[in-house]
């Protein structure tokens, strides 16, 4: 529409010049040039070069309701934002304005979403800029960009008729790392100094109240000056969601998707220990893609379960190992699975010999719940499960392969944790002061004990392990229930060890 009006106007001007006997050619050229710049976005580029970075003011639509879980983070953030909402009342009491909030936590946990929701909650203009945008090779550019960002926040808020503006700086550690650590590179220090200056300059009686929200997953890297009172003095931790949080996030991300009646989101939430919000969003999306590939109108539970494997381990690979290698992988994974079921019945979610990401095959466990403390019984059980792949290779194939290396590394770490917690024959020790030979000896003792137990279990179930491995070879994937049907077909097969460890069940093991 704008374009039509402009063309009409230009035509009128040209006609007028012509009637007045003036040469319309230079004006014609000018109009042509401006039109070209407009069409190719050239004007925008020119404006951006001057402005420095791409952050722009926007009306935020994300609300706290659109963020699943994160109850503590949301509560802390809302409490902090009440100051901004109180506005003049807070100023009348002489409360200094809240200038900065630092959101710290692992990637994909919703820090950007929280910052956007904070802007909506305080009816603020929202500007976002990643920390990396301030870092340029040229001295002074970063500092100039920081200045321009604050300036534009004020302008954008004024234009939108708002009192508040939220500036969101993602990956603040890039720009706010400890000063002096980049030797010979004063640019980082200047940029950080400028940010501190701008934040110090925020006052109650400013026309626009600016709140800077920064996000990082490397809080330890930040310059202490940033965390000083009056700057980023509110620290809100954004953790990986717990089971309830995962369920809420899954509900949010499946709200627009047709789910088959067999889909149990609580079960999927239980199986996705360690997943971030971003992982869960991707999981819901991947499940829908799998359903689409199969021409289904609804997403079924199995699509979600396959998507869990894909999100945690990567895309299926075309690479297919040799038959004898596949047989080894099958024996190895069945070893893990059989021992896992003996330690904690119902714990196996799936096992497969399909290559995904770095893994040739894997066995996935279902955690019973999110636990934060592990008992010795639990840790020993996990060690037995970790070493069961190796035990199965040795018992059934007569030797072990390099495939056990990953399991061994995890097992050694678990053993070290046990030694540090005083759970070894050494008793209570200080890990850093423990001579290396003693540490290695204690690790070996623990691993040998648990491996012996794994070997005993595999020997006892030799025939069964072979049968399940053959089934796995032909079907490539067995889910937990299919595996348990096999195990139960062997009467009383695992009865003796069923009672162990049920109370201490916890966590997930990626093998
Ligand atoms: P990074 O540290 O990598 O920048 P982040 O913590 O800022 O990540 P976001 O960008 O907020 O994470 O989240 C990425 C995506 O993951 C979101 O767009 C959303 O789809 C999903 N997501 C993450 N956390 C949640 C949550 N708590 N509720 C709903 N969706 C979430």
């Amino acid at each position: 529409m704008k374009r039509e009006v402009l063309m009409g106007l230009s035509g009128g001007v040209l006609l007028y010049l012509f009637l007045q006997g003036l040469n319309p050619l230079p004006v014609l050229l000018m109009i042509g040039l401006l039109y070209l710049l407009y069409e190719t976005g050239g004007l925008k580029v020119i404006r951006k070069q001057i402005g420095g970075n791409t952050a722009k003011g926007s009306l935020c639509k994300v609300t706290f309701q659109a963020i699943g879980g994160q109850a503590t983070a949301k509560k802390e953030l809302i409490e902090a934002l009440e100051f901004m909402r109180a506005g003049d009342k807070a100023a009348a009491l002489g409360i200094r304005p809240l200038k900065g909030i630092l959101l710290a936590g692992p990637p994909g946990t919703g820090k950007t979403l929280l910052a956007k929701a904070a802007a909506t909650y305080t009816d603020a203009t929202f500007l976002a800029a990643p920390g990396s945008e301030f870092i340029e090779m040229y001295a002074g550019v970063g500092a100039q960009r920081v200045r321009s960002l604050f300036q534009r926040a004020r302008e954008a808020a004024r234009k939108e008729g708002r009192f508040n503006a939220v500036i969101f700086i993602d990956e603040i550690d890039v720009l706010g790392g400890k000063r002096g650590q980049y030797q010979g590179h004063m640019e980082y220090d200047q940029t950080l100094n400028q940010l501190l200056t701008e934040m110090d300059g925020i006052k109650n009686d400013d026309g626009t109240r600016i709140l800077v929200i920064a996000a990082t997953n490397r809080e330890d890297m930040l310059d202490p000056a940033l965390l000083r009172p009056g700057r980023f003095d509110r620290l809100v931790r954004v953790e990986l969601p717990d089971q309830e949080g995962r369920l809420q996030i899954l509900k949010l991300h499946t709200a627009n998707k047709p789910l088959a009646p067999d889909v149990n989101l609580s079960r999927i939430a239980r199986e996705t220990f360690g997943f971030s919000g971003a992982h869960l969003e991707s999981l819901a999306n991947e499940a829908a893609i799998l359903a689409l590939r199969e021409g289904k109108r609804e997403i079924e539970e199995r699509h979600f379960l396959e998507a869990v494997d894909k999100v945690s381990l990567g895309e299926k690979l075309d690479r297919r190992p040799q038959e004898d290698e596949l047989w080894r992988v099958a024996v190895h994974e069945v070893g893990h699975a059989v021992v896992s079921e003996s330690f904690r019945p119902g714990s196996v979610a799936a096992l497969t010999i399909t290559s995904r990401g770095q893994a040739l095959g894997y066995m996935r466990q279902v955690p019973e719940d999110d636990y934060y403390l592990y008992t010795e019984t639990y840790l020993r059980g996990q060690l037995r499960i970790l070493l069961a792949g190796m035990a199965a290779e040795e018992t059934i194939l007569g030797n072990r392969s390099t495939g056990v290396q990953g399991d061994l590394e995890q097992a050694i770490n678990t053993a070290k944790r046990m030694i540090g917690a005083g759970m070894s024959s050494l008793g209570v020790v200080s890990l850093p002061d423990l001579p290396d030979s003693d540490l290695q000896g204690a690790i070996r003792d623990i691993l040998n004990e648990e491996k012996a137990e794994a070997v005993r279990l595999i020997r006892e179930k030799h025939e069964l392990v072979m049968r399940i491995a053959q089934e796995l070879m032909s079907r490539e994937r067995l889910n937990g229930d299919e595996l348990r049907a096999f195990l139960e077909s062997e009467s009383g097969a695992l009865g003796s060890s069923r009672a162990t460890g049920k109370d201490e069940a916890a966590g997930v093991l990626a093998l």
Side-chain angles (χ1 to χ4, degrees):
M1 188 63 197
K2 260 193 232 161
R3 191 191 302 175
E4 279 77 23
V5 174
L6 273 174
M7 281 171 73
L9 268 175
S10 317
V13 171
L14 288 175
L15 193 64
Y16 175 76
L17 291 172
F18 185 70
L19 290 176
Q20 293 292 315
L22 295 168
N23 182 6
L25 213 63
V27 182
L28 198 66
L29 271 172
M30 187 64 112
I31 291 176
L33 195 69
L34 282 174
Y35 179 75
L36 247 166
L37 279 172
Y38 176 83
E39 281 294 300
T40 56
L43 277 178
K44 270 190 218 154
V45 173
I46 291 176
R47 237 181 292 137
K48 200 173 98 180
Q49 293 295 341
I50 298 166
N53 59 44
T54 51
K56 54 180 184 212
S58 67
L59 214 67
C60 253
K61 294 278 180 343
V62 179
T63 61
F64 283 115
Q65 284 77 43
I67 303 175
Q70 302 300 355
T72 315
K74 282 199 260 184
K75 186 169 151 278
E76 281 180 26
L77 194 54
I78 289 174
E79 266 171 25
L81 295 172
E82 290 306 340
F83 287 107
M84 264 182 113
R85 302 236 295 184
D88 295 341
K89 280 190 211 151
L93 282 171
I95 298 174
R96 68 168 158 74
L98 175 70
K99 297 177 182 178
I101 298 178
L102 183 67
L103 305 176
T109 42
K111 297 185 289 297
T112 311
L113 287 182
L114 283 166
K116 287 186 175 170
T120 310
Y121 189 71
T122 53
D123 189 28
T125 295
F126 181 79
L127 275 94
S132 54
E133 265 202 31
F134 298 96
I135 302 305
E136 284 279 340
M137 288 310 289
Y138 313 106
V141 173
Q144 167 57 28
R145 286 188 177 173
V146 170
R147 255 195 309 276
S148 140
L149 181 63
F150 277 75
Q151 215 170 334
R152 273 177 306 127
R154 290 192 176 91
E155 276 166 19
R158 240 194 325 271
K159 262 193 215 149
E160 287 172 15
R162 292 163 193 273
F163 290 115
N164 298 327
V166 166
I167 293 179
F168 176 62
I169 305 179
D170 204 358
E171 308 158 14
I172 182 107
D173 38 291
V174 178
L175 130 89
K178 294 190 176 95
R179 276 173 292 185
Q181 66 176 333
Y182 303 101
Q183 281 191 352
H185 205 321
M186 295 297 289
E187 171 60 359
Y188 287 88
D189 298 357
Q190 279 183 18
T191 309
L192 177 55
N193 286 340
Q194 187 59 42
L195 178 65
L196 300 178
T197 312
E198 291 291 343
M199 289 185 77
D200 289 345
I202 299 174
K203 294 193 192 69
N204 251 338
D205 51 7
D206 274 358
T208 309
R209 262 189 297 262
I210 293 188
L211 171 69
V212 188
I213 301 185
T216 181
N217 39 45
R218 291 301 314 272
E219 189 193 331
D220 53 311
M221 297 273 289
L222 295 182
D223 194 293
L226 266 177
L227 308 172
R228 216 198 62 187
R231 288 173 184 162
F232 290 101
D233 49 6
R234 297 284 163 134
L235 174 67
V236 175
R237 284 192 197 284
V238 191
E239 306 288 359
L240 287 172
D242 59 10
Q243 193 174 320
E244 182 51 37
R246 294 196 295 275
L247 177 60
Q248 284 181 27
I249 298 172
L250 281 170
K251 279 186 182 159
L252 283 171
H253 288 291
T254 50
N256 62 349
K257 297 181 173 65
L259 303 185
D262 73 329
V263 174
N264 180 342
L265 290 181
S266 303
R267 189 160 53 213
I268 298 163
R270 198 154 66 86
E271 290 207 12
T272 45
F273 178 87
F275 273 41
S276 68
H279 281 129
L280 294 167
E281 189 274 334
S282 166
L283 168 72
N285 198 45
E286 289 298 337
I289 292 173
L290 288 170
L292 179 78
R293 270 190 207 154
E294 290 179 13
K296 302 274 179 198
R297 286 172 176 270
E298 288 181 325
I299 312 171
E300 296 166 18
E301 175 103 350
R302 65 193 172 81
H303 296 129
F304 279 97
L305 296 180
E306 182 160 354
V308 171
D309 291 345
K310 182 166 176 196
V311 173
S312 44
L313 290 145
E315 186 63 90
K316 268 186 199 165
L317 300 182
D318 286 338
R319 164 185 82 194
R320 196 179 154 83
Q322 304 293 328
E323 278 305 289
D324 57 334
E325 259 183 343
L326 265 186
W327 173 240
R328 184 176 286 277
V329 177
V331 166
H332 183 108
E333 299 309 333
V334 173
H336 283 313
V338 167
V339 174
S340 180
E341 282 292 315
S342 82
F343 173 56
R344 183 154 64 88
S347 61
V348 175
L351 65 158
T352 168
I353 51 168
T354 309
S355 299
R356 261 186 204 278
Q358 299 289 313
L360 288 176
Y362 52 88
M363 186 277 291
R364 194 161 51 74
Q365 284 183 300
V366 191
E368 285 206 354
D369 248 317
D370 302 353
Y371 276 73
Y372 302 97
L373 293 173
Y374 301 111
T375 61
E376 183 175 351
T377 319
Y378 175 77
L379 290 173
R380 284 192 177 270
Q382 289 302 91
L383 279 178
R384 220 171 298 156
I385 298 165
L386 275 170
L387 299 170
M390 179 164 89
E393 284 191 44
E394 279 180 16
T395 312
I396 292 170
L397 306 172
N399 58 17
R400 66 173 87 151
S401 67
T402 50
V404 304
Q405 206 173 336
D407 296 339
L408 275 179
E409 274 165 25
Q410 282 193 57
I412 289 169
N413 285 336
T414 306
K416 274 191 193 159
R417 258 179 111 175
M418 290 174 65
I419 298 165
M423 293 174 183
S424 73
S425 56
L426 296 175
V428 177
V429 288
S430 151
L431 259 191
D433 301 325
L434 195 65
D436 201 43
S437 54
D438 289 1
L439 177 66
Q440 297 304 331
I443 292 175
R444 221 175 9 250
D445 286 350
I446 296 179
L447 297 198
N448 282 342
E449 282 163 31
E450 297 316 320
K451 191 188 141 206
E453 187 57 19
V455 168
R456 188 189 64 74
L457 277 165
I458 302 280
R459 282 212 181 111
E460 205 180 291
K461 309 271 172 285
H462 190 120
E463 283 308 309
L464 192 62
V465 172
M466 294 278 284
R467 270 203 292 130
I468 302 173
Q470 270 149 8
E471 188 68 14
L472 188 58
M473 282 289 279
S474 61
R475 288 169 57 182
E476 287 212 357
R477 186 181 201 278
L478 290 175
N479 68 31
D481 290 337
E482 289 162 344
L483 170 80
R484 282 181 283 280
F486 262 101
L487 295 173
E488 270 151 30
S489 69
E490 174 131 313
S491 59
L494 304 166
S496 59
S497 44
R498 267 186 182 245
T500 47
K502 181 80 177 167
D503 296 337
E504 289 84 17
V508 72
L509 251 170
L511 297 172

